[in-house]
Amino acid sequence: LNILPYMDGFFISIPCKNAKAISDKLIEEKLFLVPLKNGLRFAVCAVSEEKCKISPAIIKKVMDEVK
């Protein structure tokens, strides 16, 4: 899963196309990312450490499915 450079903070930005469609599909997986013009915003500040560990694989899976 590619992300924009991250040093610290509350959000991780994930570049992608079809952000709205991917976000909608992620809701079905109980992941709530904010669709932006050129990607998704993932609020690590609002997610448990356990869910942060599994989220990248789920996001990548959905991104590959939606294209």
Side-chain angles (χ1 to χ4, degrees), residues 13-32:
S13 296
I14 305 165
C16 68
K17 296 180 180 178
N18 301 319
K20 176 70 170 116
I22 293 169
S23 175
D24 290 345
K25 186 76 173 167
L26 285 168
I27 290 171
E28 295 173 17
E29 300 287 336
K30 305 294 188 249
L31 276 177
F32 303 90

Side-chain angles (χ1 to χ4, degrees), residues 11-66:
F11 305 104
I12 294 174
S13 296
I14 305 165
C16 68
K17 296 180 180 178
N18 301 319
K20 176 70 170 116
I22 293 169
S23 175
D24 290 345
K25 186 76 173 167
L26 285 168
I27 290 171
E28 295 173 17
E29 300 287 336
K30 305 294 188 249
L31 276 177
F32 303 90
L33 280 69
V34 177
L36 304 171
K37 182 178 180 180
N38 294 310
L40 299 162
R41 184 170 66 189
F42 180 60
V44 294
C45 61
V47 179
S48 69
E49 184 177 346
E50 182 179 312
K51 194 148 191 181
C52 278
K53 290 178 182 178
I54 63 171
S55 294
I58 297 168
I59 296 166
K60 175 74 169 117
K61 176 180 134 307
V62 170
M63 287 174 71
D64 289 343
E65 290 174 0
V66 172

Side-chain angles (χ1 to χ4, degrees), residues 2-17:
N2 294 321
I3 65 170
L4 296 180
Y6 175 79
M7 299 295 200
D8 57 16
F10 301 110
F11 305 104
I12 294 174
S13 296
I14 305 165
C16 68
K17 296 180 180 178

